[in-house]
Amino acid sequence: MTVNIGLKEGEIVMRKPRKRSFAELVLENKRQILKDQSAMEKIEEKLEEKRLHKAE
């Protein structure tokens, strides 16, 4: 049996959000971009333009 002092029956305990490291933020951003097809196409177009400019 657990006892929560100061809490009423059915109350939800909100925890302070943990600060994420830079590496965690980068991984989350990468996952979101990989799921977003239009963002991926935009990145691919920019890379292709960059390659064409270097080839000239």
Side-chain angles (χ1 to χ4, degrees), residues 5-53:
I5 299 172
L7 292 179
K8 297 177 184 171
E9 185 71 28
E11 264 188 338
I12 298 172
V13 178
M14 299 290 288
R15 283 193 280 153
K16 185 177 179 182
R18 180 177 69 85
K19 291 193 177 191
R20 290 179 276 174
S21 70
F22 181 74
E24 289 172 324
L25 291 171
V26 169
L27 277 175
E28 182 181 338
N29 191 23
K30 181 180 176 181
R31 286 187 196 114
Q32 287 176 349
I33 290 173
L34 287 172
K35 288 180 185 177
D36 186 352
Q37 189 61 34
S38 65
M40 286 296 293
E41 289 172 2
K42 197 173 188 179
I43 291 170
E44 289 171 356
E45 287 172 9
K46 285 184 180 182
L47 286 172
E48 188 65 28
E49 278 184 36
K50 191 174 183 179
R51 288 184 190 126
L52 289 174
H53 286 291

